[in-house]
Amino acid sequence: MSFSSRNNSSSNQRRKDNSVQKQSRKGSQKGYHHRTHSKYRSRARSLPPENRKVILFNKPYDTLSQFTDDDQRRTLADFIPVKDVYAAGRLDRDSEGLMVLTNDGILQARLTQPRSKSPKTYWVQVEGVPEEKDLDKLRQGVILKDGPTLPAQVDMIPEPAIWERHPPVRYRAAIPTTWLAVTIIEGRNRQVRRMTAHIGFPTLRLIRFSMGTMSLDGLQPGEWKEISL
């Protein structure tokens, strides 16, 4: 065999080896995506009622909406011993009120995705006294940095009979405050706080009262209960 023939043979072999490696990588990547999507689909399965867990929890102020934290801050694990449930929507660390935790991915999606139009109602204490023309802006939708909001239902309400917050909200005698009931079907990061700031009335305290048909229903901060759906 000539040198030229040996060289061509080696080149052909390298091309075959490269082809096999590429196919192997593609197969590996395909397997990775399949496992990832399969895991997602399994999380999104609807469960029969006898296997479904639904937890209602009144999240206290200064508590993270997760079960673990590297910085040793207070989390859901400090209150809820139930395993294999996940939060349907989060609440900021400085917000309070209703969280729904479940092992049912379909219920989780229904409560959090805007296309489900599942309402979430917040009791919001704002600094100052807005007029109806101010609230109309929220009812029509305002434009935030991440885009326009959907129209919200907004009403002034008397101060609700609720627990004291620790630490308390800052108090300035010269500036009155107002309580609002704000209902939205979205769930963007700090959305309600950004909405009230946009119209000139910063949020001092925010409590989620209800999600869909579920509400706090007398739960005190740190208390939870399991319900059947």
Side-chain angles (χ1 to χ4, degrees), residues 18 23 68 158 184 204 211:
N18 289 338
Q23 290 175 0
T68 60
I184 60 175
L204 300 175
M211 296 179 67

Side-chain angles (χ1 to χ4, degrees), residues 9-176:
S9 177
S10 298
S11 298
N12 290 337
Q13 184 61 42
R14 282 196 298 270
R15 283 196 292 270
K16 288 180 181 178
D17 291 343
N18 289 338
S19 176
V20 170
Q21 289 174 0
K22 288 179 181 178
Q23 290 175 0
S24 177
R25 283 196 297 269
K26 287 181 180 178
S28 176
Q29 290 170 355
K30 183 177 179 181
Y32 168 77
H33 289 302
H34 174 74
R35 288 192 300 272
T36 302
H37 294 161
S38 295
K39 182 179 179 181
Y40 175 80
R41 284 195 297 268
S42 68
R43 283 277 301 276
R45 265 193 327 228
S46 183
L47 297 174
E50 62 270 18
N51 295 335
R52 184 183 300 131
K53 296 178 184 178
V54 182
I55 303 293
L56 304 186
F57 174 58
N58 186 346
K59 187 188 87 66
Y61 179 83
D62 195 29
T63 300
L64 298 177
S65 298
Q66 58 199 48
F67 280 94
T68 60
D69 180 59
D70 293 337
D71 296 325
Q72 304 302 312
R73 293 171 294 184
R74 192 164 60 175
T75 69
L76 302 180
D78 291 298
F79 302 94
I80 302 173
V82 181
K83 304 297 184 183
D84 299 323
V85 291
Y86 304 89
R90 301 171 67 85
L91 269 179
D92 301 321
R93 184 181 176 188
D94 54 353
S95 298
E96 309 159 72
L98 181 66
M99 290 190 67
V100 178
L101 299 99
T102 182
N103 63 342
D104 189 321
I106 296 298
L107 174 62
Q108 189 179 36
R110 191 166 72 239
L111 289 171
T112 56
Q113 295 179 1
R115 66 173 176 266
S116 299
K117 297 187 179 346
S118 180
K120 295 173 280 289
T121 297
Y122 299 83
W123 290 339
V124 189
Q125 185 181 18
V126 299
E127 188 173 78
V129 183
E131 299 179 9
E132 285 298 315
K133 64 180 181 181
D134 301 308
L135 303 183
D136 282 341
K137 296 175 183 177
L138 303 181
R139 293 166 182 148
Q140 295 164 8
V142 294
I143 298 179
L144 304 177
K145 287 184 178 180
D146 54 355
T149 64
L150 295 174
Q153 180 180 329
V154 186
D155 297 290
M156 290 190 191
I157 60 172
E159 180 175 353
I162 52 174
W163 57 91
E164 292 185 6
R165 200 189 79 175
H166 301 287
V169 171
R170 70 179 186 270
Y171 176 72
R172 294 196 284 181
I175 302 179

